[in-house]
Amino acid sequence: MLGTPQTQESENKPLIGDLGFGSNLQPPDTINGILSIHPLGEPCHSVTPCSQDTIEDCALSSTPVANDTNSTCTESEIGLTDDDCNLEEKEAARAKSDIGEADDSPFEVVRTAVSNSDNPAMPSMTFRSGVLGVFFVCLISFVNQFYWERDNPIALNLLIVQLLCYPLGVAMAWGLPRRMWNCFGYRWTMNPGPFTIKEHVLISLMSNASAYMALTVDIFAVLRLYYNPSFSLWTALVLLLSGQLFAYSLAGLSRTLLVLPASMIWPSSLINASLFRTFHEHQPEFDKSINRASISDSKVGPAVESSLWARDGKQGLGVLSFSLDWSVFSNAFLLSPIATPFWAACNLFVGFVLVFWIALPIAYFNNLWGAASLPLYSANVFTTNSTQYDISRVMRNGVFDAQAYEKYSPLRMSLEFSWVYGIGFAALMSILVHIALYNGKEIIARVRETKTKHDDIHGKLIMQYPSVKAWWYLVMLVASAAAGIAVGVGAHVGVPWWGYILSFAIAIVLIIPVGIIQAVSNRQPGLSLVAELLSGIVLQGIPTGYSILKLYGHGSLAQALSYAQDMKLAHYMKIPPRQVLLYQGIGIVISVVIQTCLFFWLVDHIPDMCRPEGYPWVCRSTNLVYSASIIWNLIGPLKVFGEGSPYSPLLWGFLFGLFLPIPVYFLQRRFPRCTWLKHVYIPVILSGIVGLPPMPPVDFPMWFLFGFIFNFLIHRYWNMWWQKYNFTLSAGLDSGLALSGIFQFLALSQNGIEINWWGNQVDRQCPLSAQPWLTP
């Protein structure tokens, strides 16, 4: 422990770090003269009574018991007093006094959210954290993948785990037996005492490893459903696991530049750190600060049809649509409206209204690019005569056939779908310009400070624990990449070996610059378009190349940044790095197995899955990936967006996004007291449209309405209620929706029981909305 010398006897004993996971260090011999802790390795029964620290040491120690017959404490021998229960708080207070208030992070935002003390004797890798971690990673993996292919997918994330895990951990601390067990010479207990903040963090880190896995499963869903029906489960498992382990090892190798430096703040991690401290530290003033700190020729016929388009929430504009379904308010496309700041929700909704409710109808009903002969809102691709694009007509032996393409038809998209790409080009450039204008000097300063401010108090405290060797990550990176190439080439996915190398190179080259931008500005540039553009140019004509480049190029890079952010959270919370490696690694393996197997099971057992006839299993995101693979890799961006194509003007989006943030920046500097102007963020406004499709249009207005009610009205007029129940309510609604949907599927759908009424037949309520305005 910092500032507390070890006794000579305890120094000669093997420490828990000998396990290789950097568990709890030796406690002092005395703490305020209250406890007498015997050295590690002595029989538990020699301490009278068995203190909480002794239980903790026995629980996690790798030291064999000297006397096997006298090595177990019975439950009656464990006498925990009130002083013992307050040991965690006393240790933290003592450590803080030893460090001093001046020895803290050089950044105020970190000092506000993160404690500058540590208690190395606090239990972390325990029976409770292992059981709850596996439980939540299984729950989140199953729920997120189960709902991902439905019409309104939902996503359980880190916040849900943080909120649900705490009462379960406290209940286990209250109800589990505190008896010591001896297994093959090692002593452990189910209950080392009160549920600790470090256990809470480890559970959350393990479960968060599976939070966004469904995005990468889509890649193999496209291969299985559209390109290679014989694509096997085992091939998908190995490729997906190699991609995730490659991402994790890449994050680990980048740790010295993206995690350890004090200047790499990762603002989102501060929010999670604040919530952890709110649960485990009783600081009323701190709690308040968190809440203050905390998206036909007839005139009658067309009028009726346009009204139907405007009101339909699935395939129209969603103007007058309304829903009371929580999966519409909070889903995987927009996440919970309660957890989104109201200013961000306003920016997103403004972009949606300007584009989707104003500009899009004007352009569509004026037949821009012949779009009126196609559906108003669709993620599918079409021919010039408005029929579904048949890829078999332009492919030979699995690759693009240029002559067949000339005989068949150029590709056409719905107007809204095509605009998404143009706005995506603008959003990519605008976020780069926005970061340069608003955070450029800060990023440069932080990069320079990586040497001078590397060892802040949090870096010093984490050095007490054994670090993860760099060669561990390097071996994992090489092995995962080699496995991916070998299996992909051996399974004849269709991508040459150098395509895999290119994908790996994209992630390796971009991880540091993009990670620095996100760590400082809390914003991530649009990586998906970069990968799509590159794959379309280099692997044009190979549609499966889209899947591989998205998996190892964009997917691995995005996942690596997520893992690096979780590593920073563990750094702030003083979690031993080797324990973080173990828990996150277990979480990755479990989530890959569960989500991949579940998807293949759903495909085999649900008729017409990922087709309109299979509603609600319509696979919005999977079908979007399929269309993107046709646009970017089968036909290629040079034909779809190049000269002679009606969509070539969309390339002006790059220039538009380059200049749009500049006048806003200078207006904000010219009028600094204008309250609404300082909350205008061009990248956020543009990003609100990029998710349409696959997101149903009804989601946006209902999401904004619910956010307005809670984060504006209730926050302003019933603030105490908002502070106490706002995020808890969101977690409860998300969790209840997930559990009720799974129950209905297992109890009703799987038994052939259907409940049909107009309220659950939203795909059939307005069939005219799916028809084009003009007859082809």
Side-chain angles (χ1 to χ4, degrees):
M1 178 175 297
L2 188 62
T4 305
Q6 299 290 334
T7 64
Q8 184 65 34
E9 184 178 6
S10 64
E11 288 177 353
N12 295 330
K13 297 291 182 179
L15 295 182
I16 306 236
D18 293 341
L19 267 176
F21 300 113
S23 297
N24 313 324
L25 304 181
Q26 282 284 5
D29 284 327
T30 60
I31 299 178
N32 297 334
I34 297 176
L35 299 178
S36 177
I37 307 301
H38 284 225
L40 204 65
E42 292 190 7
C44 286
H45 77 281
S46 64
V47 182
T48 306
C50 285
S51 68
Q52 176 179 334
D53 290 87
T54 308
I55 300 171
E56 168 192 316
D57 294 334
C58 294
L60 299 176
S61 172
S62 62
T63 308
V65 182
N67 187 350
D68 197 39
T69 58
N70 298 315
S71 60
T72 304
C73 283
T74 63
E75 186 173 358
S76 60
E77 292 173 352
I78 301 177
L80 292 177
T81 66
D82 292 338
D83 291 328
D84 297 332
C85 295
N86 294 328
L87 178 62
E88 178 182 324
E89 297 179 4
K90 293 179 180 180
E91 279 289 274
R94 177 171 179 171
K96 188 170 184 177
S97 64
D98 290 340
I99 294 169
E101 294 293 338
D103 197 358
D104 208 333
S105 172
F107 303 102
E108 181 181 3
V109 65
V110 178
R111 294 195 298 269
T112 302
V114 183
S115 172
N116 67 337
S117 62
D118 181 33
N119 176 13
M122 182 185 296
S124 51
M125 192 173 68
T126 64
F127 174 82
R128 294 183 306 224
S129 64
V131 170
L132 289 179
V134 172
F135 169 75
F136 277 105
V137 76
C138 292
L139 176 65
I140 289 183
S141 300
F142 184 89
V143 169
N144 287 359
Q145 184 60 53
F146 179 86
Y147 278 95
W148 186 247
E149 311 301 344
R150 294 173 67 90
D151 188 46
N152 266 325
I154 64 173
L156 302 184
N157 50 30
L158 180 59
L159 176 62
I160 303 297
V161 177
Q162 286 180 283
L163 294 175
L164 297 182
C165 172
Y166 181 74
L168 293 178
V170 172
M172 293 181 74
W174 176 81
L176 285 178
R178 294 176 177 175
R179 176 181 176 179
M180 300 301 304
W181 301 89
N182 174 27
C183 298
F184 304 104
Y186 298 94
R187 291 175 297 185
W188 63 281
T189 181
M190 294 182 180
N191 191 355
F195 184 60
T196 68
I197 190 172
K198 292 191 177 183
E199 291 178 287
H200 200 169
V201 174
L202 275 176
I203 296 167
S204 301
L205 292 179
M206 180 187 287
S207 60
N208 200 45
S210 66
Y212 303 103
M213 281 288 299
L215 295 170
T216 51
V217 175
D218 274 340
I219 296 169
F220 299 108
V222 170
L223 291 176
R224 169 67 185 272
L225 293 171
Y226 300 106
Y227 291 112
N228 186 4
S230 63
F231 188 73
S232 69
L233 170 64
W234 298 110
T235 302
L237 279 172
V238 174
L239 289 177
L240 190 54
L241 185 60
S242 69
Q244 297 305 305
L245 293 179
F246 175 83
Y248 187 76
S249 57
L250 189 60
L253 290 172
S254 307
R255 190 170 180 265
T256 55
L257 293 176
L258 297 182
V259 177
L260 296 181
S263 55
M264 299 294 105
I265 292 178
W266 294 91
S268 294
S269 296
L270 298 177
I271 299 174
N272 294 318
S274 299
L275 184 57
F276 281 122
R277 295 185 66 193
T278 302
F279 276 118
H280 295 271
E281 298 179 11
H282 303 288
Q283 299 179 1
E285 295 182 0
F286 179 80
D287 292 344
K288 293 179 182 178
S289 67
I290 294 174
N291 285 316
R292 288 196 301 265
S294 353
I295 52 177
S296 138
D297 293 331
S298 170
K299 294 184 179 180
V300 177
V304 173
E305 291 183 8
S306 60
S307 174
L308 292 172
W309 269 312
R311 289 181 294 173
D312 184 73
K314 293 295 181 179
Q315 297 167 311
L317 300 176
V319 176
L320 299 177
S321 58
F322 181 79
S323 176
L324 294 177
D325 185 351
W326 180 249
S327 66
V328 173
F329 293 100
S330 175
N331 51 57
F333 301 127
L334 287 169
L335 302 181
S336 174
I338 298 178
T340 304
F342 186 63
W343 67 265
C346 289
N347 277 269
L348 291 168
F349 191 62
V350 165
F352 173 80
V353 171
L354 290 177
V355 174
F356 211 76
W357 284 358
I358 297 177
L360 182 64
I362 294 174
Y364 182 80
F365 292 115
N366 281 280
N367 198 24
L368 178 66
W369 304 335
S373 61
L374 300 174
L376 173 65
Y377 180 86
S378 174
N380 297 322
V381 290
F382 303 89
T383 63
T384 52
N385 60 3
S386 303
T387 59
Q388 291 275 347
Y389 207 88
D390 185 0
I391 61 173
S392 65
R393 299 280 298 274
V394 297
M395 291 178 63
R396 179 177 297 177
N397 298 325
V399 297
F400 179 71
D401 187 339
Q403 294 181 350
Y405 174 77
E406 295 297 332
K407 295 179 181 179
Y408 183 47
S409 171
L411 181 143
R412 292 293 181 262
M413 296 178 278
S414 69
L415 186 62
E416 195 277 332
F417 191 16
S418 63
W419 277 19
V420 163
Y421 284 115
I423 296 172
F425 300 151
L428 172 61
M429 299 306 298
S430 69
I431 192 170
L432 295 177
V433 174
H434 180 94
I435 291 171
L437 292 173
Y438 291 84
N439 306 101
K441 294 181 179 179
E442 184 182 12
I443 291 174
I444 295 173
R446 297 286 174 82
V447 172
R448 291 173 177 174
E449 291 168 355
T450 55
K451 295 183 178 180
T452 59
K453 294 184 179 180
H454 186 100
D455 294 328
D456 66 342
I457 184 58
H458 307 295
K460 295 175 182 177
L461 291 174
I462 204 66
M463 290 299 292
Q464 300 176 92
Y465 305 101
S467 62
V468 179
K469 306 298 182 182
W471 68 267
W472 294 8
Y473 291 120
L474 185 60
V475 169
M476 188 189 305
L477 183 139
V478 174
S480 59
I485 296 174
V487 173
V489 174
H492 304 290
V493 174
V495 179
W497 63 268
W498 54 264
Y500 294 86
I501 301 295
L502 174 64
S503 303
F504 294 133
I506 293 174
I508 293 173
V509 170
L510 294 180
I511 179 67
I512 299 300
V514 175
I516 291 175
I517 292 173
Q518 185 173 349
V520 174
S521 67
N522 203 34
R523 298 176 181 89
Q524 184 183 111
L527 304 175
S528 180
L529 275 177
V530 175
E532 289 172 342
L533 279 170
L534 191 56
S535 68
I537 295 173
V538 178
L539 297 174
Q540 191 274 327
I542 307 176
T544 54
Y546 181 88
S547 298
I548 298 302
L549 207 77
K550 286 282 285 186
L551 172 64
Y552 293 115
H554 165 251
S556 292
L557 178 57
Q559 290 282 19
L561 294 173
S562 176
Y563 294 142
Q565 180 169 291
D566 286 348
M567 290 179 182
K568 188 65 177 185
L569 176 60
H571 180 83
Y572 282 142
M573 307 308 295
K574 322 302 182 299
I575 309 299
R578 296 187 181 183
Q579 293 184 12
V580 176
L581 171 64
L582 177 65
Y583 274 62
Q584 287 187 306
I586 293 174
I588 290 171
V589 173
I590 293 176
S591 62
V592 166
V593 172
I594 290 178
Q595 295 196 344
T596 309
C597 292
L598 178 59
F599 172 78
F600 275 74
W601 184 89
L602 291 174
V603 170
D604 293 336
H605 289 79
I606 296 179
D608 299 317
M609 184 172 174
C610 297
R611 304 184 186 280
E613 297 80 11
Y615 181 88
W617 304 91
V618 294
C619 308
R620 287 180 173 268
S621 181
T622 302
N623 287 324
L624 177 66
V625 173
Y626 170 61
S627 296
S629 69
I630 299 174
I631 294 169
W632 293 102
N633 279 79
L634 179 59
I635 298 176
L638 297 180
K639 287 184 172 61
V640 176
F641 300 104
E643 185 178 358
S645 169
Y647 307 118
S648 59
L650 294 174
L651 297 177
W652 286 98
F654 287 109
L655 189 63
F656 181 74
L658 187 65
F659 289 102
L660 191 57
I662 298 176
V664 177
Y665 172 75
F666 286 105
L667 285 173
Q668 290 174 341
R669 291 173 61 90
R670 176 65 179 82
F671 304 101
R673 296 183 179 181
C674 184
T675 304
W676 68 269
L677 184 59
K678 67 180 181 181
H679 289 302
V680 175
Y681 286 83
I682 296 301
V684 179
I685 293 175
L686 295 176
S687 65
I689 304 300
V690 175
L692 289 158
M695 181 176 63
V698 65
D699 290 8
F700 233 123
M702 300 309 303
W703 175 84
F704 179 76
L705 174 63
F706 205 86
F708 171 76
I709 293 173
F710 275 84
N711 286 343
F712 181 77
L713 294 180
I714 296 179
H715 177 268
R716 168 170 290 190
Y717 299 107
W718 296 278
N719 188 260
M720 294 301 297
W721 187 97
W722 185 91
Q723 292 184 23
K724 189 173 183 180
Y725 298 111
N726 194 57
F727 295 105
T728 305
L729 174 64
S730 177
L733 289 170
D734 286 343
S735 304
L737 173 65
L739 296 177
S740 64
I742 294 173
F743 173 79
Q744 292 177 38
F745 176 77
L746 296 176
L748 301 178
S749 301
Q750 287 300 98
N751 293 311
I753 302 175
E754 295 185 3
I755 302 176
N756 294 320
W757 63 296
W758 67 267
N760 65 357
Q761 295 179 357
V762 294
D763 59 321
R764 304 182 183 92
Q765 288 181 4
C766 190
L768 286 178
S769 63
Q771 302 300 318
W773 173 255
L774 299 178
T775 302

